[in-house]
Amino acid sequence: MMHANTVDEAKLNQFIGQMLGDLGGASSIAMVRIGDALGFYKTLHTKGPMTCEQLAKTAKVSERYLREWLSHQAASNYLAYDPKSATFALPPEQAIVFANEESPVYMMGGFDLMAALLDNQPKVQAAFKSGQGVAWGEQAGCMFCAVARFFRPGYQNNLVSAWLPALSGVVEKLEQGARVADVGCGHGWSTVLMAKAFPKSHFIGYDFHPDSVRDAMRHAKAHGVSENARFDVGLAKSFPGKDFDLVTCFDCLHDMGDPAGASAHIRKSLKQDGTWMIVEPMAGDHLEQNLNPVGRLYYAGSTMVCLPTSLSQEVGAALGAQAGEAKLREVITSGGFSRVRRAAETPFNMILEARP
Ligand SMILES: C[S@@+](CC[C@H](N)C(=O)[O-])C[C@H]1O[C@@H](n2cnc3c(N)ncnc32)[C@H](O)[C@@H]1O
């Protein structure tokens, strides 16, 4: 107890309280994903409050396991428990977070992503020592699905209704019929949303990860936009195609090894009056501006996914997910863009508009 007399007991208690919350959150990752995979949230959402026996029967699972799971969920304020009827319910606020995939605050992707970060630990831990990267395609099992699921609600909620209209003259072009490249499209949810909203425009999604491109094609087909949304494997600094009215990059510029090279190539691929839309994680330019719950999540994602991805590619710029607008502007203007402005923002994203 060498330092006992230097410890402020009130601060210690407060910190232990924080740790209890943090460990509780971490312990929920597997529990919430089990509830998702076995359909517990959706069943409670559609069928209303149930006893453990009723839910076990409906979901066809072991009652003993389920009782432990339900108890954890009630202790976590994820489900409401009524001792009189011994029933568990999914309150409406929790339902839009856990059960409704179309809701703007659906967060199941966040839990998938946290599991992927843990899976990535051995590879990233080794990379701390070597300084090397870990290629996107070699990261945790379905980190790609987790990332896509994590970002999708934000795009669904903002892309067509707020972000595209914030760009000068872009919606008019899209309505009339424009050529658009969605670079680093991943599973293609952003491409699909835009293709659905603007049927006269033609969209091509490029990503260097072939499995993601295949998934993007499947999503386009499932959402009936295969006619005007295509996908192809391509690098941000060399994808084919010219004379685009709009190029978009959703949460991927900072993952690239050579974002400045990508910027120069995108500049050449655009029409003279074209627009490059860059969606990046929200961040201030200085560390002290990012010491908050959003920055906390992004720095973890950046360490476990974004830096390893960038460092595994040529140049290895490793901008990180919290690069901030000033650094991003530098990269964007280095490629030949002369005008850059922040067109829109949410607590999670900043939307930059770059013009030649
Ligand atoms: C965080 S994910 C975002 C995916 C998608 N835009 C979204 O918002 O869901 C980053 C994406 O960038 C892609 N990527 C990284 N470096 C790339 C590069 N140099 N060229 C093309 N794609 C790249 C990855 O394959 C991955 O799909």
Side-chain angles (χ1 to χ4, degrees), residues 192 215-226 229 231:
V192 167
D215 275 307
M217 285 172 179
R218 255 192 328 105
H219 293 145
K221 198 165 177 209
H223 285 77
V225 293
S226 298
F231 295 91

Side-chain angles (χ1 to χ4, degrees), residues 197-219:
F198 301 104
K200 288 190 187 160
S201 288
H202 286 271
F203 298 83
I204 175 135
Y206 292 109
D207 198 286
F208 76 167
H209 183 233
D211 285 353
S212 290
V213 168
R214 261 194 299 277
D215 275 307
M217 285 172 179
R218 255 192 328 105
H219 293 145

Side-chain angles (χ1 to χ4, degrees), residues 23-38:
L23 289 171
S27 74
S28 299
I29 297 170
M31 299 294 271
V32 168
R33 295 184 80 227
I34 284 177
D36 179 44
L38 299 179

